């Protein structure tokens, strides 16, 4: 089969799912040389099988709002691939959630989880429920209703969900409470749990910290470091907050943060104190990032119109860029501007934040580019460490978990570079990460037969 045959195969079955097709397209472009080299993978139709979810569950979620009105949402769990471990991947609550978005995320998760070295398969789930503007009680009732159905399909050895956009520590608490009640069982069925009831230290920080550890590895391989570098960060949620924190720890300067309405630019840099303000604003008061510029006069705020082709955040002069909000938030024009401004590195904190055209522009112009499946794998890796602690009935210290996280990110960096070199694309982290993840899962599927 040619590369186009593979794409046609997936398009025919999933033509109405653009995000999923985009993710599959990126992976097949990278792993096609592996399929050419390995007749046994082609014969077993491993790639075709990887693009078909092992199981896709869609369900109704009924709940009652504060006015006493019945609300109906749609819930999903995509159990994509369990060749190397139980399905693992977050839950997203956002109005943009649909089958295509969750299938792209679950597909990416297969390779990301394989890269971590922790035994975890790929999955993803969520709902089109919008947590914005909902009361605390409404959030709780929705989470309980959602788990009312999901609980039938997950178990600590089968499928272990975690958080994602719109699902943080608060929601994991409500979801866990419901599972425990329905199943009459206290187990590590979710990760991202609170410390004191099964959670792992450093899990909250892990995606953002891991992203910056990964970037530091890339910069060191190029003979430099993040120290003294000016960094653009988008988003102001979990991943962004801890990416900014680690940039600060390593002596860099983060100058931007954003949300779905707009972004702030603070040329003086986001300090520890200003970061605490963002955490309180977003995690406790659930306000808009605009308030940052009202409080700190060194900063300016600009609205970002929804659906615009480019975002002025990426036109700010800087050395490094870390998109940490959502998919396709960095387009071709944004990448052209970054190239003109001398940006040296773009590492993805979010999943698939850069469009395919944008990625090509970065790579063709020598910008070091890290795909999310490598650079944001620290979150799921630490979820894996949480599962291990739950199985063992133990708790590791922050230092121990952080050390393991740094080791995992260093290892992902090394295996991605090695795979890229082996297949004639030295220094290409996208190709390397896709190949290293794919080969690990392919070998497991081959060993287990056609099942
Ligand atoms: P949060 O919900 O904590 O934060 C998301 C941030 O992105 C918020 O600032 C939000 O703005 C903004 N955002 C969300 N949707 C959009 C949109 N459509 N347009 C513009 N801005 C948007 O999520 P996380 O930080 O957990 O996740 C961010 C990204 O990182 C996602 O792609 C996620 O899949 C990925 N990721 C997360 C991991 C984790 O451990 N949490 C692990 C690996 C990847 P607002 O405040 O207005 O909602």
């Amino acid at each position: 089969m040619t590369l186009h045959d593979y794409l046609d195969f997936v398009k025919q079955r999933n033509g109405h799912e653009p995000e999923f097709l985009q993710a599959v397209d990126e992976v097949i472009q990278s792993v096609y040389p592996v399929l050419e080299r390995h007749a046994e993978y082609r014969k077993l139709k491993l790639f075709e099988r990887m693009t078909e979810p092992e199981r896709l569950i869609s369900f109704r979620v009924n709940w009652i709002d504060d006015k006493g009105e019945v609300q109906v949402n749609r819930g999903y769990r995509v159990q994509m691939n369990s060749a190397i471990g139980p399905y693992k991947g977050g839950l997203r609550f956002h109005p943009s959630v649909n089958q295509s978005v969750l299938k792209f995320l679950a597909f990416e998760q297969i390779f990301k989880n394989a890269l971590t070295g922790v035994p975890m398969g790929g999955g993803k789930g969520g709902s089109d429920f919008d947590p914005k503007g909902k009361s605390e009680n409404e959030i709780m009732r929705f989470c309980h209703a959602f788990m009312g159905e999901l609980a039938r399909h997950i178990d600590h050895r089968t499928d272990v969900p975690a958080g994602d956009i719109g699902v943080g520590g608060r929601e994991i608490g409500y979801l866990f409470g419901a599972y425990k009640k329905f199943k009459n069982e206290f187990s590590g069925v979710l990760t991202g749990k609170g410390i004191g009831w099964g959670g792992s230290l450093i899990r909250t920080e892990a995606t953002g910290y891991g992203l910056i550890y990964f970037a530091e590895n890339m910069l060191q391989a190029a003979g430099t470091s993040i120290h003294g570098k000016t960094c653009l960060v988008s988003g102001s949620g979990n991943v962004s907050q801890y990416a900014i924190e680690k940039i600060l720890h390593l002596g860099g300067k983060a100058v931007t943060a954003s949300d779905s309405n707009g972004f702030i630019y603070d040329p003086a840099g986001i300090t520890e104190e200003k970061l605490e303000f963002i955490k309180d604003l977003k995690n406790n008061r659930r306000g808009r990032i605009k308030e940052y510029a009202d409080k700190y006069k060194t900063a300016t705020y600009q609205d970002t119109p929804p659906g615009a082709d480019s975002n002025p955040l990426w036109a700010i002069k800087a050395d490094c860029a870390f998109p940490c909000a959502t998919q396709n938030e960095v387009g071709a024009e944004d990448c052209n501007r970054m190239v003109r401004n001398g940006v040296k590195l773009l590492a993805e904190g979010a999943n698939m934040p850069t469009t395919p055209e944008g990625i090509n522009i970065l790579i063709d112009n020598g910008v070091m580019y890290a795909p999310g499946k490598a650079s944001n794998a620290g979150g799921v890796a630490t979820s894996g460490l949480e599962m291990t602690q739950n199985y063992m009935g133990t708790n590791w210290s922050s230092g121990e978990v952080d050390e393991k996280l740094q080791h995992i990110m260093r290892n992902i960096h090394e295996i991605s570079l090695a795979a890229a070199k082996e297949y004639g694309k030295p220094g290409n982290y996208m190709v390397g990460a896709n190949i290293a993840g794919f080969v690990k899962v392919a070998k497991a599927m081959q060993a287990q037969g056609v099942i």
Side-chain angles (χ1 to χ4, degrees), residues 3-4 7 24-33 47 430-431 434:
L3 198 146
H4 281 286
L7 279 174
V24 171
D25 195 335
E26 184 208 289
V27 172
I28 188 65
Q29 305 274 355
S30 300
V31 305
Y32 187 67
F47 189 79
M430 178 178 70
V431 169
N434 282 331

Side-chain angles (χ1 to χ4, degrees), residues 7-229:
L7 279 174
D8 279 348
F9 171 85
V10 184
K11 255 184 213 153
Q12 270 170 21
R13 305 160 78 90
N14 309 277
H16 55 295
E17 296 181 345
E19 294 86 359
F20 179 56
L21 291 176
Q22 183 182 334
V24 171
D25 195 335
E26 184 208 289
V27 172
I28 188 65
Q29 305 274 355
S30 300
V31 305
Y32 187 67
V34 184
L35 294 168
E36 277 188 309
R37 199 184 278 185
H38 290 273
E40 70 280 18
Y41 294 171
R42 296 198 302 274
K43 187 158 179 272
L44 287 167
K45 294 213 167 30
L46 292 186
F47 189 79
E48 294 89 321
R49 284 161 59 195
M50 280 185 210
T51 58
E52 196 61 33
E54 289 179 13
R55 196 172 299 106
L56 195 157
I57 303 144
S58 164
F59 51 94
R60 186 181 71 191
V61 188
N62 301 326
W63 58 284
I64 297 176
D65 69 17
D66 286 348
K67 295 189 207 108
E69 277 180 35
V70 174
Q71 298 289 336
V72 185
N73 282 98
R74 190 170 287 177
Y76 303 90
R77 186 70 183 163
V78 185
Q79 298 181 330
M80 201 76 190
N81 192 298
S82 61
I84 62 168
Y87 309 107
K88 181 92 196 92
L91 297 171
R92 178 177 290 192
F93 292 168
H94 193 272
S96 64
V97 162
N98 57 38
Q99 193 169 296
S100 169
V101 167
L102 293 181
K103 277 173 68 181
F104 117 64
L105 289 163
F107 183 70
E108 290 275 299
Q109 200 82 44
I110 304 173
F111 310 105
K112 181 191 308 196
N113 293 3
L115 286 169
T116 66
V118 185
M120 298 178 290
K124 200 83 189 187
S127 172
D128 59 359
F129 171 75
D130 186 358
K132 284 213 180 83
K134 303 292 188 299
S135 72
E136 189 75 25
N137 276 331
E138 287 175 327
I139 299 275
M140 182 176 72
R141 284 198 295 274
F142 176 79
C143 288
H144 287 173
F146 181 85
M147 187 53 89
E149 176 62 29
L150 187 68
R152 298 168 198 270
H153 311 287
I154 62 174
D155 175 85
H156 68 130
R157 297 208 182 262
T158 309
D159 184 354
V160 184
D164 190 71
I165 291 178
V167 180
R170 172 182 63 167
E171 290 76 16
I172 292 290
Y174 294 145
L175 292 162
F176 184 80
Y179 184 88
K180 183 166 65 63
K181 171 97 177 165
F182 298 146
K183 291 287 188 92
N184 195 22
E185 170 189 302
F186 192 109
S187 71
V189 70
L190 292 165
T191 57
K193 300 185 289 300
I195 307 302
W197 47 280
S200 172
L201 289 162
I202 304 292
R203 173 59 190 95
T204 310
E205 295 87 345
T207 308
Y209 278 17
L211 168 68
I212 304 305
Y213 290 145
F214 194 88
E216 185 70 345
N217 278 297
M218 294 168 79
L219 290 164
Q220 283 179 0
T224 179
S225 84
I226 207 158
H227 193 270
K229 300 271 189 306

Side-chain angles (χ1 to χ4, degrees), residues 272-301:
E272 294 276 1
E273 182 220 319
K274 292 169 178 174
L275 178 58
E276 284 314 308
F277 174 83
I278 294 179
K279 287 183 185 171
D280 179 52
L281 176 73
K282 285 293 173 182
N283 306 347
N284 303 328
R285 294 191 284 123
R286 304 191 187 261
R288 311 309 313 170
I289 198 66
K290 188 177 190 298
E291 291 181 41
Y292 180 105
D294 298 336
K295 181 162 169 75
Y296 298 108
K297 296 303 168 201
T298 48
T300 50
Y301 171 80

